[in-house]
Amino acid sequence: MSKLVNEASIPALLEEMTPEEKVDFLVGKTAFTTQEMPKYGIPSILYLDGATGVNLLQYVMEMIGEIIPSENNDEYEETEQSSNESGAGAMAYMKYVTTDIPVPDTFNLKEQQLIEALRQRVKELRPNGVEPGCFPPGTLLGATWNPSVVYKVGEAVSREAMAYNVDVLLGTPNTNIHRDPKNGRLFESFSEDPYLSAKLAPVFSKAVQDQGMVADVKHFAANNQETLRQGVDELISERALREIYLPGFEATVKEGNVLSVMSAYNSINGVPCSQNHWLLTEVLKEEWGFEGQVVSDWGGVYDQVAALQAGNDLDMPGPRGKEKLYRAVESGTISLERLDDAVTRTLKVILKTPKFNGKKYPEIDTKLSETAAYNAAAEGITLLKNENVLPLNSGASISLFGKLSNRFIESGSGSAQVDTSRFTSLTTELARYTENICTEEISKDTEFVIITAGASGQEGKDRPDMDFDVEDQKMLEESIRYAKSENKKVILLLNVAGPVELMPYIDSIDALVCMYFPGMEGARAMADILFGKISPSGKLPITFPKTYRQTPTAINFPGEYGKVNYGEGIFVGYRYYDYKGFEPLYPFGFGLSFSKFSIPKIELTEKSYDSRSENPLRVKVEIKNEGLIEAKEVVQLYIHSDNSTLLKPEKELKGFKKVSLLPGESIIVTIELFPKDFASYDTQHKDWTVEPGNYEILVGRSSRQIDKTISVEITGPNPYGCSLNSTIEFIEKHECAVEVCKEVLGNYFDEERLKNNVIYFGSTPLKVYLEKTIPKVNEEEWERLLHLLEQKLVQCDVKK
Ligand code: BGC
């Protein structure tokens, strides 16, 4: 009997395993584990969330399954509903299971015994008694604009998860795009911008895997809403998929070498992602060369046979019926080749797991975790308004409002939730700077009123509106009124899943700081920023609109009757506000500092750049700290195309760098651009195209604060030059093209007639026009003429 040892041992295993065993291996054993096969040396592997810390709730669900094994009936179909129900049971126990709070007798005796047993197991599970840490979720990480900070979070979370025996850490990262602010899971992912996402996502996966853990990127693809999350069908153009929704995943596969990709719940253009051959096989595996495993989202396989055929390798969770799969393999509906491919990919993942390699961090390095979480919060917290209020002086007299001052929302709920008592509290952290703190009242010496208001984010449910949570909205209104009646300065801290409606309050607020969901060290970082120990350097990874109705998706979210039209196409986030000429409240990339910066100079290594170049075009940007304190700033580079055939956004982020500068210091930052940065995806060409012409390189400190602009001439072949697909209007405008038509088609071509037709039918492609207007000639001759024509037309060097 062969055993799993390394990659070379896989072919022999494939020979020996029966088709049934292979199927058994590709369907989960329990809610979060896979089937072990001891005779082949294959262990059972634990898949658990996630990027914000170890999800103990999921662990407890697993434990409940061990204590009360469900009947392992092969016809049993695990649905999301049933796994959610057991999740709901576990949720009710969590408060007691993770603490020593006495179990109330509202639970029946059996439940009380179960809770005690779970409590014992959780205690035994904790490495040296340490609870999991809660790390900042994606949006705060996006706001750092700093890959090295993100790496450190990935490293710390991976080590903690290894100490908790996790093998595949789910959602590391979630790189879905912020399409609509009301998405319940918005907080989990980085940004509305694909470039920023694609720069951070692979770093997270790499950090996780560098520790010896398997990373998993989710949810592939375009998982952008929670309403009807399992059934929704999204109608998305291929251009929007390629330019907006896929780049984060592509980079995580190609640069992050992520080993596991989670297929999403939603459908794209009529096909569920887990059953989408184009997405999973043609794009992910064939085009991008992904060699790892596709695991379904939990309960996201709706048709097991279709999913395996399409390229989904592992179906989670289990147990669930395998009969259909046995039959499909037997009848050849699923080929042995596909089955072996899925097994091979899953085995390759197992080979890299901590369990297989006997790797474990026996303890949690709390210092390492806290430093990583702190640095992320310190660099992500974003200052949005400051009317000479911040930083505060030590000893300032402050009054705190809002229950969140005691404990922030550190992460959202669902798979990103972390049950832990490792946290920092604003009330306590501020006490490091001042003794003059009162809460929920204004004393006679109060100078500043600090209000923390929240908008929670939750898996399974979209936000009903873009407002604060109801209770906090009331508190916010009342405390602002109170503060103003007492003539106090108001500092509002946003502890929010995403953008909130701020217009009703904005004029009454003297300072505004957004912390998103900042993880366990959020309060410490916030206190250090408020009192100026560090200067804020976070930048919005998502536009804050003035009102929800201003957003690009307001008329297309969350869809109707199970369908959502992605009518905004590629115009997601700032691409939309820019194009429509709308003034958002705070633009993408915006964030204030306690210092002042300038960008005195920008230079290009070349004045022109060929679209076939393998070497980069280098943009050198000088940035100077003009202020009196050390601070960090983000140099942001956007590209604008002057005159493109395809409709393009006004500008697109194509480079950024965060720098730290001493007072008066200046440095030169070099940003490299490649041909792809000038490209768009053309659905006709089925490829990325770079059109020659003039482009502007815009450098600044937000998408709306551009300090310097420089032009570059892009040279190279013109995908939009003359061809048989050109419109007759275009052909008529280009003398060379008309001459070529005359030369090749001779008497068949009537220039006068072409001119007349241009008036009413100018947008007709040349080929279609010729076929309509030229009398039938023999087919072979016609093909020859067309071929010759195309060859000569593309040689016309067309300048617009
Ligand atoms: C979520 C995933 C998560 C999985 C396992 C699903 O409901 O959509 O993000 O990783 O559960 O917990």
Side-chain angles (χ1 to χ4, degrees):
M1 190 76 53
S2 301
K3 296 262 187 226
L4 181 67
V5 185
N6 50 26
E7 282 200 20
S9 66
I10 295 178
L13 283 177
L14 295 177
E15 287 287 313
E16 288 173 37
M17 286 170 86
T18 65
E20 284 77 11
E21 284 175 332
K22 290 175 185 172
V23 166
D24 292 349
F25 179 58
L26 296 174
V27 178
K29 178 174 90 165
T30 66
F32 294 99
T33 64
T34 58
Q35 187 60 53
E36 68 270 42
M37 304 223 148
K39 67 174 173 180
Y40 299 119
I42 302 174
S44 170
I45 293 304
L46 179 64
Y47 287 65
L48 216 75
D49 283 288
T52 48
V54 174
N55 188 315
L56 269 188
L57 176 70
Q58 294 172 354
Y59 232 125
V60 168
M61 283 167 71
E62 236 356 78
M63 290 171 180
I64 295 176
E66 282 165 25
I67 298 171
I68 323 171
S70 66
E71 276 166 45
N72 198 349
N73 174 351
D74 204 40
E75 285 313 303
Y76 172 69
E77 291 281 330
E78 176 79 14
T79 61
E80 205 216 2
Q81 183 113 7
S82 62
S83 83
N84 274 351
E85 272 158 18
S86 59
M91 231 183 275
Y93 307 151
M94 283 311 277
K95 180 168 158 200
Y96 308 100
V97 166
T98 57
T99 63
D100 283 325
I101 300 174
V103 185
D105 51 18
T106 42
F107 290 105
N108 66 35
L109 200 60
K110 255 188 153 171
E111 281 181 311
Q112 290 181 30
Q113 285 167 348
L114 176 61
I115 294 173
E116 288 301 346
L118 291 169
R119 182 177 270 171
Q120 193 47 39
R121 283 187 180 225
V122 167
K123 277 200 177 132
E124 284 160 17
L125 177 69
R126 285 184 185 138
N128 282 349
V130 179
E131 295 178 65
C134 177
F135 296 86
T139 308
L140 178 126
L141 298 182
T144 68
W145 293 60
N146 190 342
S148 55
V149 162
V150 171
Y151 184 93
K152 285 291 179 189
V153 171
E155 173 185 72
V157 78
S158 179
R159 289 183 182 210
E160 289 209 4
M162 279 169 81
Y164 270 87
N165 306 321
V166 179
D167 295 300
V168 178
L169 196 56
L170 299 173
T172 49
N174 174 339
T175 190
N176 291 124
I177 288 291
H178 293 166
R179 174 175 181 256
D180 185 288
K182 292 197 299 191
N183 171 15
R185 301 184 81 170
L186 190 96
F187 70 91
E188 287 185 31
S189 57
F190 301 114
S191 174
E192 69 185 20
D193 182 74
Y195 183 85
L196 180 57
S197 304
K199 284 291 159 202
L200 302 181
V203 172
F204 201 106
S205 294
K206 185 171 184 312
V208 167
Q209 292 190 167
D210 282 353
Q211 317 313 309
M213 162 73 71
V214 173
D216 162 86
V217 63
K218 71 188 183 187
H219 310 83
F220 190 57
N223 189 169
N224 303 318
Q225 68 180 62
E226 292 300 280
T227 306
L228 262 183
R229 67 177 182 151
Q230 287 204 320
V232 69
D233 183 17
E234 301 168 350
L235 311 175
I236 320 178
S237 71
E238 187 175 356
R239 180 164 177 205
L241 283 166
R242 297 279 187 175
E243 292 189 16
I244 306 290
Y245 297 106
L246 299 186
F249 291 96
E250 183 174 2
T252 313
V253 167
K254 290 185 176 167
E255 290 152 39
N257 293 319
V258 72
L259 289 159
S260 171
V261 172
M262 186 188 289
S263 55
Y265 281 143
N266 52 281
S267 293
I268 296 177
N269 300 325
V271 189
C273 288
S274 65
Q275 293 157 214
N276 198 317
H277 189 269
W278 174 77
L279 189 68
L280 303 184
T281 299
E282 291 162 50
V283 175
L284 174 67
K285 293 179 178 175
E286 292 172 3
E287 236 183 78
W288 299 349
F290 176 63
E291 289 183 1
Q293 165 210 62
V294 176
V295 58
S296 70
D297 197 350
W298 267 230
V301 163
Y302 312 117
D303 175 334
Q304 287 175 291
V305 175
L308 198 50
Q309 277 176 322
N312 194 90
D313 302 307
L314 177 66
D315 175 7
M316 288 299 279
R320 65 181 293 192
K322 295 165 194 155
E323 277 303 324
K324 271 179 252 146
L325 284 172
Y326 295 152
R327 284 199 300 272
V329 173
E330 204 176 279
S331 67
T333 311
I334 294 173
S335 68
L336 272 182
E337 203 187 344
R338 171 79 267 270
L339 190 66
D340 283 354
D341 175 53
V343 172
T344 304
R345 289 169 180 273
T346 306
L347 288 174
K348 278 191 189 167
V349 163
I350 291 184
L351 285 171
K352 301 281 187 193
T353 57
K355 170 141 337 120
F356 192 86
N357 295 313
K359 278 198 184 154
K360 186 168 158 106
Y361 286 93
E363 314 189 340
I364 286 184
D365 182 343
T366 50
K367 189 90 202 100
L368 179 115
S369 292
E370 281 153 21
T371 307
Y374 173 84
N375 286 338
E379 293 212 16
I381 290 173
T382 311
L383 179 63
L384 296 175
K385 180 174 180 181
N386 187 15
E387 305 280 330
N388 299 319
V389 177
L390 296 176
L392 304 173
N393 293 322
S394 302
S397 173
I398 55 186
S399 172
L400 299 179
F401 282 82
K403 63 176 188 329
L404 296 173
S405 316
N406 295 322
R407 184 167 187 179
F408 291 153
I409 309 172
E410 288 129 23
S411 179
S413 62
S415 37
Q417 182 169 328
V418 181
D419 290 277
T420 182
S421 60
R422 284 168 69 190
F423 71 95
T424 53
S425 160
L426 187 65
T427 322
T428 328
E429 295 299 327
L430 290 175
R432 289 191 279 120
Y433 292 99
T434 176
E435 288 171 357
N436 299 319
I437 304 178
C438 59
T439 51
E440 308 298 335
E441 57 166 359
I442 295 174
S443 73
K444 63 176 189 329
D445 62 346
T446 297
E447 297 164 272
F448 305 98
V449 169
I450 302 183
I451 309 169
T452 307
S456 19
Q458 141 180 13
E459 180 177 331
K461 203 169 181 205
D462 290 319
R463 287 162 65 191
D465 44 46
M466 217 176 68
D467 288 329
F468 290 95
D469 291 342
V470 178
E471 206 184 308
D472 270 14
Q473 196 170 331
K474 209 162 148 256
M475 176 278 298
L476 180 59
E477 280 159 14
E478 283 167 7
S479 37
I480 290 181
R481 209 174 308 131
Y482 182 24
K484 288 287 131 182
S485 69
E486 298 286 324
N487 247 332
K488 303 297 175 200
K489 299 266 186 208
V490 174
I491 301 165
L492 175 59
L493 311 184
L494 301 177
N495 188 191
V496 293
V500 273
E501 303 263 0
L502 288 165
M503 291 307 279
Y505 322 102
I506 200 72
D507 293 336
S508 326
I509 295 164
D510 300 284
L512 179 65
V513 190
C514 182
M515 68 176 102
Y516 319 91
F517 292 162
M520 63 182 166
E521 290 294 313
R524 184 154 70 101
M526 180 60 88
D528 288 346
I529 286 175
L530 292 176
F531 278 93
K533 184 177 173 201
I534 43 175
S535 171
S537 62
K539 301 279 169 182
L540 289 180
I542 176 171
T543 308
F544 269 48
K546 284 192 174 139
T547 66
Y548 178 69
R549 284 197 183 184
Q550 206 186 19
T551 64
T553 43
I555 54 168
N556 278 313
F557 184 90
E560 270 169 358
Y561 302 117
K563 285 206 187 304
V564 191
N565 180 17
Y566 277 44
E568 72 285 359
I570 57 165
F571 292 89
V572 173
Y574 65 90
R575 288 165 166 75
Y576 178 81
Y577 297 88
D578 282 355
Y579 196 81
K580 298 285 276 192
F582 290 164
E583 197 62 45
L585 181 60
Y586 295 114
F588 173 80
F590 176 76
L592 300 168
S593 163
F594 290 154
S595 192
K596 273 204 186 77
F597 290 88
S598 67
I599 295 185
K601 214 160 81 202
I602 168 173
E603 247 174 49
L604 284 182
T605 42
E606 335 258 344
K607 286 232 152 14
S608 76
Y609 181 63
D610 194 282
S611 62
R612 291 157 296 187
S613 298
E614 278 168 14
N615 299 324
L617 170 69
R618 293 198 172 86
V619 188
K620 292 185 188 277
V621 183
E622 185 183 350
I623 173 151
K624 182 163 190 220
N625 183 351
E626 309 269 6
L628 301 173
I629 55 162
E630 181 178 359
K632 291 185 174 164
E633 180 57 299
V634 181
V635 177
Q636 303 174 30
L637 183 153
Y638 299 84
I639 293 184
H640 163 84
S641 157
D642 269 357
N643 194 0
S644 57
T645 300
L646 289 181
L647 185 63
K648 288 208 190 204
E650 278 294 295
K651 63 172 100 64
E652 296 184 273
L653 183 73
K654 294 296 174 185
F656 65 87
K657 220 163 237 178
K658 193 167 203 174
V659 293
S660 179
L661 293 177
L662 294 168
E665 192 188 1
S666 84
I667 57 161
I668 301 211
V669 162
T670 302
I671 295 178
E672 296 190 336
L673 296 173
F674 288 87
K676 181 86 183 277
D677 295 320
F678 297 87
S680 296
Y681 190 83
D682 186 316
T683 38
Q684 275 276 310
H685 289 66
K686 290 232 148 268
D687 206 354
W688 293 88
T689 56
V690 181
E691 189 168 5
N694 194 57
Y695 291 74
E696 304 284 322
I697 293 172
L698 320 170
V699 175
R701 286 165 292 142
S702 95
S703 63
R704 293 274 171 119
Q705 192 194 345
I706 301 302
D707 297 295
K708 286 275 179 305
T709 301
I710 193 164
S711 304
V712 61
E713 181 72 18
I714 299 293
T715 55
N718 186 357
Y720 302 101
C722 293
S723 76
L724 286 172
N725 277 331
S726 305
T727 65
I728 55 172
E729 181 174 6
F730 188 82
I731 295 288
E732 195 236 354
K733 268 199 209 133
H734 295 96
E735 210 183 307
C736 159
V738 175
E739 289 309 314
V740 166
C741 288
K742 282 192 207 157
E743 179 196 328
V744 176
L745 299 170
N747 286 341
Y748 291 134
F749 183 73
D750 179 341
E751 191 180 350
E752 218 30 57
R753 189 170 177 191
L754 180 87
K755 282 195 168 130
N756 291 334
N757 269 292
V758 163
I759 300 170
Y760 290 111
F761 305 107
S763 55
T764 311
L766 178 65
K767 188 169 171 209
V768 175
Y769 170 79
L770 294 177
E771 270 160 3
K772 275 200 183 135
T773 53
I774 290 182
K776 277 265 159 288
V777 281
N778 117 20
E779 207 169 305
E780 218 172 285
E781 171 65 359
W782 184 237
E783 285 304 318
R784 190 190 67 80
L785 285 176
L786 284 185
H787 184 70
L788 190 62
L789 192 58
E790 177 80 349
Q791 271 184 337
K792 297 209 166 200
L793 280 173
V794 294
Q795 282 166 22
C796 291
D797 188 23
V798 175
K799 289 258 170 13
K800 279 198 260 177

